Each structure stands twice: as structure tokens, then as C-alpha cells.
Amino acid sequence: MLVLLYYIVFAGAPGLIGAINWIGATLRDAGIVPGIGDSLANMNVRTIDFTVRVVLALCIGYSAPGRDLPLASSPSSAARWRPPARWA
């Protein structure tokens, strides 16, 4: 969980900013909403607060459904796997 948190905070944020910059540049160049497009195109990683990054990472980490599922690398455990009682 801690590795996922660090990965989202430090590697996911620049990727998200890259996508936001691309959307902003597209909006600005198309002339649809030049004011919003210009502000999105000029956004950088430092404009996203660290607390927002951590909250986003915690939301993604704790909502991951993989905790109750069997490992794909062990077919014998997958064959014996039964859903938890709360799924029934």
C-alpha cells in the first residue's frame, strides 16, 4: 500500500499534469475556451498541493478491489477460492 501511495504521489502527478496540459493546449489552440485552456496549459506539478496528491492516492489505494481476489500466479488457490461472506 505504501508503494502504491508513493507511486501515485510522485509518478502519477506528473502524468496527470501532462494530460491536463494537453487538454488545455487543445482547448486554447481550438479557441473553444481560451482563458481556461491557457490556464490549464500552463499548469505545472507544483500547483497541485501535496495533500491533494496524498488524498487522491489514498482514495485509489483503499478502493482497489484486488485485496479480496486470489493471486493470478497461483492457479491452485484460484480453483479453491470462494467469495467472502459479505459478497453473498
Side-chain angles (χ1 to χ4, degrees):
M1 179 69 184
L2 189 60
V3 172
L4 178 68
L5 181 111
Y6 280 134
Y7 183 78
I8 292 171
V9 167
F10 293 116
L16 180 66
I17 290 296
I20 290 172
N21 287 341
W22 178 79
I23 291 169
T26 303
L27 291 174
R28 180 187 60 205
D29 295 341
I32 298 171
V33 279
I36 295 173
D38 192 39
S39 63
L40 291 177
N42 294 329
M43 186 179 280
N44 61 15
V45 177
R46 293 181 186 256
T47 57
I48 296 180
D49 188 32
F50 189 73
T51 307
V52 173
R53 293 189 216 177
V54 170
V55 168
L56 179 66
L58 286 172
C59 288
I60 292 172
Y62 280 113
S63 67
R67 295 178 300 187
D68 294 331
L69 300 177
L71 295 175
S73 61
S74 58
S76 63
S77 66
R80 295 180 310 217
W81 183 77
R82 300 286 180 255
R86 62 187 165 121
W87 286 6

